[in-house]
């Protein structure tokens, strides 16, 4: 997968100053080492794209944190509530996260990747 192909599939990562070619290429290479093309078969491109998107989103989160004096790489789960003055909003993150999803639950891309990986890893099914 080329960065251009990736950006065409995920236009939200089109900005090359925010998401440099070298970073997209780096994560594409990691995906190529970790995702077995024989196992993924015709879903390898989708798996690779979701893998790259997940890592770019996590990396951008770290950059955003560092830009305001936070610690890049600090681990946090999905935000489930927020209060401003007298207004409070809560969400049920368990409705959209995957059981035992860990790191992959940090982004919607990771959740989609893990869902596909579980299908791919399930093997053949007989009825």
């Amino acid at each position: 997968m080329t960065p251009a192909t990736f950006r065409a599939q995920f236009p939200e990562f089109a900005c090359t100053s925010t998401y440099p070619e070298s970073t997209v290429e780096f994560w594409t290479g990691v995906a190529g080492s970790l995702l077995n093309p024989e196992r993924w078969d015709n879903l390898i491109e989708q798996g690779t794209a979701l893998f790259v998107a997940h890592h770019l989103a996590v990396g951008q989160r770290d950059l955003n944190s560092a830009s305001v004096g936070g610690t890049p790489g600090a681990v946090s789960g999905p935000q489930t509530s927020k209060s401003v003055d007298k207004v409070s909003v809560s969400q049920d993150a368990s409705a959209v996260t995957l059981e035992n999803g860990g790191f992959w639950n940090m982004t919607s891309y990771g959740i989609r990747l893990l869902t596909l990986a579980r299908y791919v890893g399930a093997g053949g099914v007989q009825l």
Side-chain angles (χ1 to χ4, degrees), residues 8-26:
Q9 293 174 350
F10 290 89
E12 60 268 41
F13 295 102
C15 180
T16 57
S17 60
T18 304
Y19 307 103
E21 295 286 305
S22 60
T23 305
V24 174
E25 289 170 353
F26 173 82

Side-chain angles (χ1 to χ4, degrees), residues 1-104:
M1 165 174 292
T2 67
T5 301
F6 169 76
R7 292 179 201 281
Q9 293 174 350
F10 290 89
E12 60 268 41
F13 295 102
C15 180
T16 57
S17 60
T18 304
Y19 307 103
E21 295 286 305
S22 60
T23 305
V24 174
E25 289 170 353
F26 173 82
W27 288 115
T28 301
V30 174
S33 295
L34 297 177
L35 303 178
N36 182 337
E38 290 179 15
R39 170 69 77 171
W40 282 78
D41 196 32
N42 62 347
L43 292 174
I44 190 65
E45 189 169 292
Q46 290 85 348
T48 298
L50 288 167
F51 184 95
V52 172
H54 174 74
H55 283 282
L56 291 177
V58 170
Q60 188 59 40
R61 190 177 298 161
D62 290 342
L63 279 172
N64 291 344
S65 177
S67 73
V68 295
T71 304
V75 177
S76 65
Q79 182 175 339
T80 58
S81 66
K82 184 174 184 174
S83 297
V84 177
D85 290 330
K86 296 179 182 181
V87 178
S88 177
V89 175
S90 297
Q91 296 176 342
D92 180 8
S94 67
V96 293
T97 57
L98 298 175
E99 185 176 347
N100 299 317
F103 167 72
W104 301 108

Side-chain angles (χ1 to χ4, degrees), residues 110-124:
I111 291 168
R112 287 185 267 173
L113 174 64
L114 184 55
T115 299
L116 279 180
R118 288 178 177 176
Y119 287 130
V120 167

